[in-house]
Amino acid sequence: MVATTAAVGERRRWAMLGLGVFAQAASAVFIHGVPFLLPALTDGGMALPTAGLLVAMPTVGLVCTLIAWGWVVDRIGERKVLVAGPLITAAAGGAAAFTAHPIALGALLFLGGAGAASTNGASGRVIVGWFPPHRRGLAMGIRQTAQPLGVGIGALAIPAVAAQHGVPAAVLVPAVMALLAAAACAVGIIDPPRPQRSEADPGLLANPYRGDGTLWRVHLVSVLLVVPQGTLWTFALLWLHRDAGWSLAAAGLLVTGTQVLGAIGRIGAGAWSDRVGSRLGPLRTVAIAAVVSMAALALAAWTEWWWVAIPLLVVASVITVSDNGLAFTAVAEIAGPYWSGRGLGVQNTGQNLAMAAVPPVFGAVIDAAGFPAVFIAAAVIATVAVPLVPRDRRHTDH
């Protein structure tokens, strides 16, 4: 990869990383910001399980198209995908702003999520293609800050826009971001070079899922660990508002703050993995920390010790997002340049299937047993992930 990473200057490499972060952030606002419509929807009389199903539609659209987008990335490269996908999201979000019917709104949210899926595998390949191995953990950690930053933007903007202008208009926030991302990526992204398939090492072309369960185990661990993350992203605002008695504005500011801290945590986790030369060792440590923090949060929420529960919410919000960059980097490196698009597509599909199930399923649990029950359930699920983290595997030069 030495010749490849030398093909662009240092400044251009980091500029492309910035564009990948922005494109991914626009997608994250659409996918993960829409659940912040839950207070507006439920205050309007919609049942929480029904509202949870509606706000899960972007994630459903994402899940249905992630592997397909990965296949396209592996075939035509990153730049075209990073333009086409955000344009679809922008068009769907723009149409949703003029839609009042719940079914039509759900369909447009689904379509916008399908477009947003494009940025996951594509921007990951840009990083693995242009950055050398000793910088990839840091670069992927920075790229993964897009998700918590997107959630933070959604927490700050979407409830406010919904309160002032209605639910459909709130979807314009990620739509405008997606349109800007498409234009910027069209100008600034360069596809990482790679050998023609006819000239490539046969080992790089081989299916990395055959004869080795490492990738499947990383995928499964990530699916389990995304449940605590999705629980906090979806219900923290509502929990602060309903149980702790915070105003929506104050709760939104706190959630935004936790996402900024989560972004810093992802960068730190990536730099840590570069320093120790491993992705999977740090991944196991983060998984253990997720179990402990979610269990402690459940206890504090149950006892209503707010002076403990609120700081624990912040800590858990940072820890539960820190595994993403580690797992994504491991998948991209193990899969190699001809399979990383599909590998990241599978990775994202599993995670987002779990994420899509969180709002309706845990919404029903909250109605029946309260917020502490979903926090402890998330801790139990994360516990299953700890022994499944694969044996440590050094990153490669793929």
Side-chain angles (χ1 to χ4, degrees):
M1 184 61 74
V2 175
T4 299
T5 55
V8 297
E10 188 77 5
R11 182 176 299 179
R12 184 62 182 271
R13 187 180 305 153
W14 289 100
M16 286 192 285
L17 172 60
L19 290 176
V21 169
F22 182 67
Q24 182 71 28
S27 296
V29 176
F30 197 93
I31 299 296
H32 304 298
V34 168
F36 293 117
L37 293 172
L38 281 174
L41 293 171
T42 54
D43 288 348
M46 186 179 292
L48 181 56
T50 303
L53 180 61
L54 180 63
V55 302
M57 291 310 295
T59 303
V60 176
L62 181 95
V63 167
C64 289
T65 54
L66 277 167
I67 296 177
W69 279 117
W71 182 87
V72 173
V73 167
D74 288 337
R75 289 301 185 274
I76 69 172
E78 287 70 31
R79 179 176 172 272
K80 293 177 182 177
V81 170
L82 284 171
V83 173
L87 282 178
I88 294 172
T89 299
F98 299 95
T99 302
H101 194 282
I103 294 178
L105 180 59
L108 289 167
L109 292 177
F110 175 91
L111 180 61
S118 64
T119 63
N120 288 271
S123 52
R125 267 289 299 135
V126 167
I127 289 168
V128 174
W130 286 123
F131 283 83
H134 68 280
R135 290 284 187 87
R136 286 180 194 157
L138 174 61
M140 191 68 85
I142 293 172
R143 183 256 190 180
Q144 289 296 316
T145 65
Q147 280 189 308
L149 290 176
V151 175
I153 293 170
L156 198 61
I158 287 180
V161 174
Q164 294 294 320
H165 304 289
V167 169
V171 187
L172 274 179
V173 175
V176 172
M177 287 185 64
L179 184 61
L180 293 174
C185 288
V187 174
I189 293 293
I190 301 174
D191 285 337
R194 61 183 181 182
Q196 295 294 326
R197 288 179 174 268
S198 59
E199 302 172 358
D201 183 340
L204 296 180
L205 296 174
N207 187 339
Y209 290 95
R210 292 179 180 171
D212 187 348
T214 301
L215 280 175
W216 287 118
R217 289 179 65 179
V218 173
H219 295 328
L220 180 56
V221 167
S222 297
V223 166
L224 295 169
L225 292 181
V226 86
V227 173
Q229 174 184 310
T231 300
L232 296 180
W233 281 6
T234 303
F235 296 113
L237 185 83
L238 196 62
W239 173 63
L240 290 168
H241 181 54
R242 283 191 179 181
D243 282 18
W246 288 38
S247 69
L248 286 175
L253 284 173
L254 180 64
V255 171
T256 300
T258 64
Q259 298 306 316
V260 173
L261 293 175
I264 296 172
R266 290 188 177 197
I267 295 173
W272 172 27
S273 75
D274 284 339
R275 188 177 185 86
V276 301
S278 167
R279 316 301 177 198
L280 301 179
L283 179 61
R284 182 179 294 104
T285 302
V286 170
I288 295 170
V291 173
V292 174
S293 63
M294 289 302 297
L297 177 61
L299 177 61
W302 178 61
T303 58
E304 297 187 352
W305 293 347
W306 303 118
W307 60 278
V308 176
I310 303 304
L312 280 173
L313 172 66
V314 176
V315 171
S317 296
V318 173
I319 291 172
T320 57
V321 301
S322 297
D323 63 284
N324 285 45
L326 299 171
F328 271 57
T329 308
V331 168
E333 290 177 335
I334 295 169
Y338 297 94
W339 281 85
S340 63
R342 280 163 287 185
L344 292 173
V346 173
Q347 172 80 2
N348 278 284
T349 298
Q351 284 189 300
N352 284 285
L353 279 171
M355 188 76 78
V358 166
V361 173
F362 277 12
V365 174
I366 290 169
D367 273 354
F371 288 94
V374 300
F375 295 154
I376 195 63
V380 170
I381 292 171
T383 301
V384 179
V386 175
L388 294 176
V389 178
R391 180 179 57 84
D392 188 36
R393 178 169 178 168
R394 300 285 171 174
H395 55 260
T396 69
D397 289 341
H398 288 339

